[in-house]
Amino acid sequence: MNKMKSKVYLVGAGPGDYKLLTIKALECIKKADVIIYDNLVNKSCLREAKDGCELIYVGKKPNHHIMSQDKINNLLLSKAHEGEEPKIIVRLKGGDPYVFGRGAEEGEFLHKNNILFETVPGVTSAIAGLCYAGIPVTHRNHSSSFHVITGHLKANGREHDWGTLAKINGTLVFLMGARNLHTIVNNLIARGKPKNTPIAVVTSATMPTQKTVISTLEHICAKIKKEECNPPALIAIGDVVSLRDSLNFYERQPLFGKNIMVTRATNQNSEMIKKIADMGGNAIEVPTIKINKIFDNEELGREINNLQKYQYLIFGSANGVNIFFDKLQEMGYDSRILHGIKIGVSGSQTAKALLHKGIKADIVPKTYTQEALAAEIAKSAKQTDRILVPKAKKTRGVLASTLNNVTEVDIYETVMETSQKETVIQNLKITDYLTFTSSSAVVNFMELLGSGDIPENVKIVSIGPITSQTILGYNLEIYKEAEVSTIDSLLSVL
Ligand code: SAH
């Protein structure tokens, strides 16, 4: 039993934007047995933790209680000593662990208690948060230093030396100052800082909900309402604030400030969510449908053994491709068993999934509908050709009704995810765009909503004509429809 080998990593998770996590931080998260995390940590990071990793939240509780530093220290200690095997413990903090993060105190405590530790610096909000608001902390022509100051005004029982702070020409950055904006500004003005000095207050920096208010020391308090200045907030004071006009890249992104509800199956929507984030939008996930593969699918197994009697194999979704190929492999085959068979897909995502398996689709219709796919197959198929269609249960059998010799095999089914009904109803209140990428998503979403209403200001966006038909069937108004039935096209109409 060598408990001394447990190791604690004091890790900075960056200011909020998930992608500002460092590679080293990500490595730590992935290998951790225990992650002890704070309020300001972007929870998406935690998805990278391995199965079975113990996640312990020590930030603010709904009753505004914070776990005391002593308790956190003792928790680190007890986790390091727990069990027979040495553990990897990650203490995950917002921004950088040594910038007002009490990381140094935790390091001292671990050292004193002979626990091995390492600190992984993070991207601090003091610099990066302002960067995302278009404010550089230094600039050759405007500011040759920056000063990061706590906004807790009686730090260690001492009042700040406002006279000295007011004289500094460099950029002043206050952290933890949201509730004390008034006092900070008044103290600086009272000690002679020019009233027209530019000031910015940036809340939820680097997040899709980022808000920036710009003014002067004299007017900022009138401009910003108390309720708008919620933590976490950064306060930047100095000439560099004026550079925002040129440098504000983040808030200028096409979907910045927009809340976009995504109604796809959980394992399908990650691509759309990534794209929305890359365009600055806030994706709100609604896993209305879950994909359930049909296990021990004997029917599919039989058709795979009989593949040589088919001339065509047609896939209607990326899920279908993946499940089909899993089955092939499970049965000891590989893609060579498909030689000589023409393969068709219903759209570009399905084609992409197929390409991942090393196969280029022979047939991809120009418009991504079942009807167009059937027409495309009909162009080359002979009367006697046999067509295998692995598909989702309870979906429209367009191919079977328009083409000859079609064998359909159900390989998965989509089922409702109802656990999040209340969250969905709450989120709809702040949603700008409600997006649907398939008919089944519409049906499932409406079923999930039940008697609940879609608020009037929510704009509905559809991926294509078939989905639109289903939406209209519920007497809902469509704001826009994608030009071609792809996620990119859907996002571009926004
Ligand atoms: N270690 C952190 C700071 C911890 S103190 C860092 O390096 O960023 C907590 C304060 O940091 C908050 O009160 C706020 O002033 C600031 N802060 C952290 N993340 C922020 C964000 N995303 N937006 C605005 N302010 C943030």
Side-chain angles (χ1 to χ4, degrees):
M1 190 157 65
N2 187 356
K3 288 173 184 169
M4 292 307 289
K5 269 196 187 154
S6 280
K7 184 165 178 180
V8 177
Y9 289 87
L10 303 170
V11 178
D17 179 351
Y18 169 74
K19 289 192 181 169
L20 293 180
L21 201 66
T22 65
I23 294 172
K24 193 162 185 180
L26 188 60
E27 271 174 15
C28 288
I29 291 171
K30 284 184 171 165
K31 68 182 176 188
D33 300 301
V34 184
I35 298 178
I36 301 172
Y37 65 100
D38 280 343
N39 194 24
L40 286 175
V41 168
N42 183 338
K43 310 296 173 288
S44 317
C45 305
L46 303 176
R47 289 191 195 165
E48 301 294 337
K50 66 183 181 193
D51 281 349
C53 172
E54 186 183 1
L55 302 173
I56 307 175
Y57 176 65
V58 292
K60 263 196 192 128
K61 298 274 153 46
N63 58 7
H64 291 276
H65 245 66
I66 309 176
M67 191 185 275
S68 72
Q69 192 58 47
D70 279 347
K71 275 199 177 146
I72 295 176
N73 288 351
N74 288 328
L75 180 64
L76 288 171
L77 201 58
S78 70
K79 287 292 162 194
H81 286 310
E82 192 180 83
E84 298 295 315
E85 296 293 317
K87 276 189 169 40
I88 292 182
I89 298 145
V90 165
R91 172 71 177 108
L92 198 58
K93 294 163 170 291
D96 179 90
Y98 287 175
V99 179
F100 299 131
R102 306 193 74 166
E105 288 162 61
E106 289 172 19
E108 287 176 306
F109 175 84
L110 294 169
H111 175 70
K112 211 170 86 191
N113 286 283
N114 285 319
I115 306 285
L116 207 59
F117 80 95
E118 194 174 311
T119 304
V120 180
V123 174
T124 179
S125 66
I127 298 173
L130 294 180
C131 166
Y132 270 43
I135 302 165
V137 287
T138 70
H139 186 286
R140 240 163 77 98
N141 303 333
H142 298 275
S143 167
S144 56
S145 66
F146 65 93
H147 309 264
V148 181
I149 305 153
T150 171
H152 281 170
L153 296 180
K154 291 238 170 83
N156 306 323
R158 285 193 308 267
E159 178 76 56
H160 286 324
D161 177 355
W162 291 105
T164 304
L165 290 178
K167 275 194 216 91
I168 293 174
N169 273 327
T171 310
L172 302 182
V173 183
F174 284 90
L175 265 60
M176 304 180 285
R179 300 278 177 240
N180 291 324
L181 179 66
H182 205 261
T183 323
I184 292 168
V185 166
N186 287 346
N187 272 308
L188 289 172
I189 293 177
R191 300 303 195 291
K193 186 108 184 146
K195 287 180 183 176
N196 61 355
T197 310
I199 176 169
V201 176
V202 189
T203 49
S204 298
T206 80
M207 302 294 281
T209 45
Q210 171 175 312
K211 283 213 170 61
T212 309
V213 180
I214 303 289
S215 188
T216 57
L217 282 186
E218 187 179 13
H219 297 299
I220 186 75
C221 291
K223 191 162 176 186
I224 203 165
K225 290 191 210 83
K226 256 216 162 99
E227 62 273 18
E228 279 174 352
C229 195
N230 285 323
L234 299 158
I235 301 169
I237 301 169
D239 282 349
V240 287
V241 168
S242 61
L243 297 168
R244 170 175 157 85
D245 289 343
S246 329
L247 301 181
N248 180 16
F249 68 95
Y250 185 66
E251 294 173 27
R252 264 192 226 126
Q253 294 174 102
L255 293 181
F256 179 77
K258 297 288 181 229
N259 295 311
I260 300 159
M261 196 172 267
V262 178
T263 56
R264 301 191 81 183
T266 337
N267 51 351
Q268 265 188 329
N269 55 13
S270 55
E271 189 203 342
M272 180 150 169
I273 284 168
K274 274 192 200 125
K275 284 184 172 164
I276 291 173
D278 286 344
M279 293 164 87
N282 184 27
I284 305 173
E285 267 179 273
V286 183
T288 52
I289 46 179
K290 238 180 2 195
I291 302 296
N292 278 356
K293 157 179 163 173
I294 296 172
F295 281 98
D296 299 326
N297 194 335
E298 283 174 20
E299 203 186 343
L300 179 62
R302 201 170 51 237
E303 297 311 326
I304 286 176
N305 278 328
N306 282 333
L307 268 173
Q308 70 284 357
K309 76 172 193 199
Y310 289 102
Q311 283 70 42
Y312 286 83
L313 172 62
I314 309 295
F315 293 106
S317 71
N319 287 311
V321 171
N322 294 330
I323 293 168
F324 182 89
F325 275 82
D326 285 350
K327 184 75 180 178
L328 268 193
Q329 278 171 20
E330 207 181 288
M331 293 171 69
Y333 297 118
D334 62 31
S335 56
R336 286 171 299 181
I337 195 180
L338 301 173
H339 81 274
I341 301 179
K342 284 210 170 73
I343 303 187
V345 293
S346 58
S348 60
Q349 289 309 313
T350 316
K352 212 166 163 188
L354 192 63
L355 211 50
H356 274 299
K357 307 292 177 196
I359 295 176
K360 189 167 172 291
D362 301 294
I363 303 170
V364 188
K366 286 204 181 67
T367 49
Y368 299 150
T369 61
Q370 297 276 317
E371 286 77 4
L373 177 60
E376 204 60 39
I377 298 167
K379 279 186 196 164
S380 62
K382 291 202 264 333
Q383 279 291 322
T384 51
D385 282 347
R386 289 164 177 273
I387 303 172
L388 179 62
V389 184
K391 68 176 225 354
K393 231 177 182 172
K394 289 187 272 180
T395 46
R396 306 177 314 134
V398 176
L399 297 185
S401 58
T402 40
L403 300 166
N404 294 324
N405 302 324
V406 171
T407 305
E408 293 182 322
V409 186
D410 289 340
I411 58 171
Y412 65 92
E413 67 179 331
T414 55
V415 292
M416 285 259 300
E417 178 77 83
T418 50
S419 59
Q420 303 197 28
K421 178 171 172 162
E422 266 319 300
T423 323
V424 170
I425 291 175
Q426 285 311 314
N427 281 336
L428 262 179
K429 292 183 186 155
I430 57 153
T431 296
D432 298 292
Y433 301 111
L434 170 60
T435 63
F436 290 111
T437 51
S438 69
S439 276
S440 60
V442 180
V443 174
N444 286 303
F445 182 81
M446 294 310 289
E447 214 170 296
L448 173 80
L449 208 58
S451 55
D453 269 337
I454 298 178
E456 250 173 50
N457 49 325
V458 176
K459 297 188 172 87
I460 298 180
V461 185
S462 154
I463 197 160
I466 306 291
T467 306
S468 296
Q469 260 178 35
T470 313
I471 297 172
L472 294 172
Y474 285 95
N475 282 328
L476 296 169
E477 205 175 300
I478 296 168
Y479 170 66
K480 275 184 180 164
E481 184 185 284
E483 275 162 28
V484 275
S485 301
T486 63
I487 287 171
D488 284 325
S489 172
L490 186 150
L491 292 179
S492 77
V493 302
L494 300 184

